Amino acid sequence: MKITKTETGNLNLDIPVKYNGIKFLLVSLISALFIIYPNFTFFNIERNYLGESKFNALLFFFIFRYLYFSVLIFIMLWYNFKKINLKSVGKRFMHTLIIGAFFYFMYIGFSLMLNPKKEWFSGFLLFQFFIMVVYCSLLGHVAHLYLEHRKKEKEIEQLKTENLQSRYVALTNQINPHFFFNSLNGLSSLIRKKNEENAIEYVSKLSDVFRYVLQSDKKNIVTLGEELESVTALKYMMEVRFANKMVFRINVKEENKNLKIPVLSLLPLIDNVVVHNVIDSEHKMIVTIYLNNENELLVSNPVYPKLETPNTNGTGLKNLENRFLLLMDKKIKIIDDGKSFTVCLPLIKN
């Protein structure tokens, strides 16, 4: 399906439709049998009263009429399905009627050459041509309505996808400024301490994290292995920033690293630990990341609440929950017993 946007911003969906010529031919041959059936009945009645020469002529003309009707139905169907893109059934009928009239007069010409009797272009013959025109017009109109219905369904589906993508991008963009601000605070602390070596390494790891953040808009779902790699750089930053008073224990088996998770799931959780907890020599922060038996990734930490309530908008966990709902249609679980805080992230297989 080809999707473009008009100048007004509306979606224009071009749905490719493949028409099988063999199917058209089979429909034409079967339809012609129904159209010509009265002639076949007449042929059976008259065959006993005709001589051999007249019988052969009648048989030949019967076959000719059947093949002619089959070709005409094939052409009108093909034209209606492939060439006519009209919403008005009246205009569609007029287009088809012109084709039918042209072939009707051609048939009269062939009939006069083969057998000049008027019976071959009687009122019944005209009725047969009219039935073929109506039949092909209606089939073409039904096909047109079906395609319009499909286009509307595809357009609705595309709009839903774009809406979800826009919401996801908006949620992801909320992560970047907040994390960047906190990271700069850690860097400024190192600079004040004149720890150049750690500051340089900190900047290097910070660039690794931000490279991952900036590339996240190209991927909605990543492997658990990729997400944990970003934590490696973040781990160094946190340990340097808090002088090893914040440590990470990651226990994920190699065979489980192919499980899928929304990109940037761990970064806001780790940032959340820093924002809401006291981390010092008396309150050593241990962040544990592991899998449970239900293939959920658990991120757990002890709770050391700050004396003053952090000045945050409280959207971090809500943001993460919304992204899991959008991308995986699954909810995260939060367990807070006052002593430890654990977030359970559902994972999916390839």
Side-chain angles (χ1 to χ4, degrees):
M1 180 183 69
K2 181 180 179 183
I3 303 173
T4 56
K5 285 192 176 182
T6 62
E7 293 180 357
T8 59
N10 296 324
L11 290 176
N12 180 28
L13 287 84
D14 182 17
I15 301 177
V17 182
K18 295 182 180 179
Y19 297 106
N20 192 316
I22 296 177
K23 290 182 179 179
F24 272 110
L25 181 59
L26 288 175
V27 172
S28 302
L29 291 172
I30 295 172
S31 302
L33 279 176
F34 285 98
I35 299 294
I36 207 171
Y37 179 75
N39 300 95
F40 180 74
T41 304
F42 173 78
F43 174 74
N44 280 335
I45 295 173
E46 293 293 323
R47 62 186 298 179
N48 297 322
Y49 304 99
L50 298 174
E52 185 177 349
S53 60
K54 290 185 177 181
F55 172 77
N56 290 335
L58 186 64
L59 177 61
F60 171 77
F61 206 80
F62 176 81
I63 294 173
F64 165 75
R65 176 178 285 192
Y66 170 68
L67 294 176
Y68 193 88
F69 284 5
S70 298
V71 171
L72 174 57
I73 293 173
F74 179 86
I75 292 173
M76 288 194 296
L77 283 178
W78 188 266
Y79 187 73
N80 266 277
F81 276 70
K82 292 208 68 173
K83 299 296 183 182
I84 302 181
N85 187 25
L86 299 174
K87 294 182 179 180
S88 170
V89 67
K91 291 182 179 180
R92 178 181 295 277
F93 174 77
M94 291 304 299
H95 278 250
T96 312
L97 182 62
I98 292 172
I99 298 174
F102 174 77
F103 277 87
Y104 172 76
F105 288 112
M106 280 186 59
Y107 181 86
I108 295 299
F110 286 131
S111 299
L112 290 173
M113 286 188 294
L114 295 172
N115 193 327
K117 291 185 178 181
K118 293 183 180 180
E119 61 192 37
W120 298 119
F121 44 97
S122 62
F124 182 72
L125 175 65
L126 187 61
F127 176 74
Q128 286 177 309
F129 270 85
F130 181 77
I131 290 296
M132 285 188 282
V133 169
V134 172
Y135 170 72
C136 294
S137 299
L138 287 178
L139 279 184
H141 188 63
V142 169
H144 175 76
L145 292 177
Y146 172 71
L147 285 178
E148 286 295 311
H149 179 68
R150 279 188 61 192
K151 285 181 180 179
K152 288 180 180 178
E153 286 185 339
K154 292 289 184 182
E155 184 175 4
I156 292 171
E157 182 182 334
Q158 180 65 19
L159 287 172
K160 285 182 178 179
T161 302
E162 288 189 355
N163 182 45
L164 290 176
Q165 184 65 28
S166 298
R167 289 172 61 189
Y168 175 75
V169 170
L171 290 171
T172 304
N173 288 340
Q174 290 177 11
I175 298 172
N176 302 352
H178 189 234
F179 173 73
F180 185 62
F181 177 77
N182 289 334
S183 299
L184 288 182
N185 279 342
L187 180 60
S188 64
S189 175
L190 289 175
I191 294 173
R192 283 196 300 269
K193 294 177 182 178
K194 298 182 179 181
N195 192 333
E196 294 183 7
E197 184 178 343
N198 282 345
I200 292 173
E201 185 65 18
Y202 187 95
V203 171
S204 175
K205 296 299 182 183
L206 179 61
S207 66
D208 290 340
V209 173
F210 263 90
R211 188 179 300 110
Y212 184 71
V213 171
L214 293 173
Q215 291 175 351
S216 65
D217 61 342
K218 300 175 183 178
K219 301 177 183 179
N220 294 335
I221 302 287
V222 296
T223 65
L224 182 55
E226 290 178 86
E227 189 73 4
L228 289 175
E229 282 182 15
S230 70
V231 175
T232 302
L234 190 60
K235 172 177 175 290
Y236 175 85
M237 291 169 54
M238 296 297 105
E239 288 175 350
V240 169
R241 177 179 170 186
F242 294 102
N244 292 319
K245 296 178 182 67
M246 181 176 184
V247 296
F248 292 79
R249 293 176 181 172
I250 302 174
N251 184 18
V252 177
K253 294 180 180 179
E254 196 65 32
E255 59 265 25
N256 292 324
K257 290 185 178 180
N258 287 327
L259 295 171
K260 299 289 188 177
I261 188 172
V263 69
L264 298 179
S265 294
L266 297 180
L267 188 150
L269 292 181
I270 295 171
D271 193 44
N272 196 60
V273 172
V274 174
V275 171
H276 293 278
N277 290 278
V278 175
I279 303 175
D280 55 26
S281 56
E282 295 181 3
H283 304 88
K284 188 174 182 180
M285 179 59 62
I286 301 175
V287 179
T288 307
I289 302 174
Y290 62 100
L291 262 68
N292 63 10
N293 295 330
E294 298 176 5
N295 273 345
E296 292 177 323
L297 186 69
L298 276 63
V299 180
S300 182
N301 63 273
V303 176
Y304 304 128
K306 292 182 176 180
L307 295 178
E308 294 183 5
T309 304
N311 184 20
T312 63
N313 54 17
T315 61
L317 289 176
K318 189 65 179 176
N319 178 311
L320 185 63
E321 185 176 22
N322 286 337
R323 288 195 292 125
F324 267 81
L325 285 172
L326 285 173
L327 296 175
M328 298 173 59
D329 196 26
K330 293 186 177 183
K331 291 185 177 181
I332 66 175
K333 291 186 293 186
I334 299 173
I335 304 171
D336 184 4
D337 60 7
K339 295 181 179 180
S340 65
F341 186 86
T342 303
V343 180
C344 305
L345 305 176
L347 304 175
I348 57 175
K349 295 182 179 179
N350 291 335

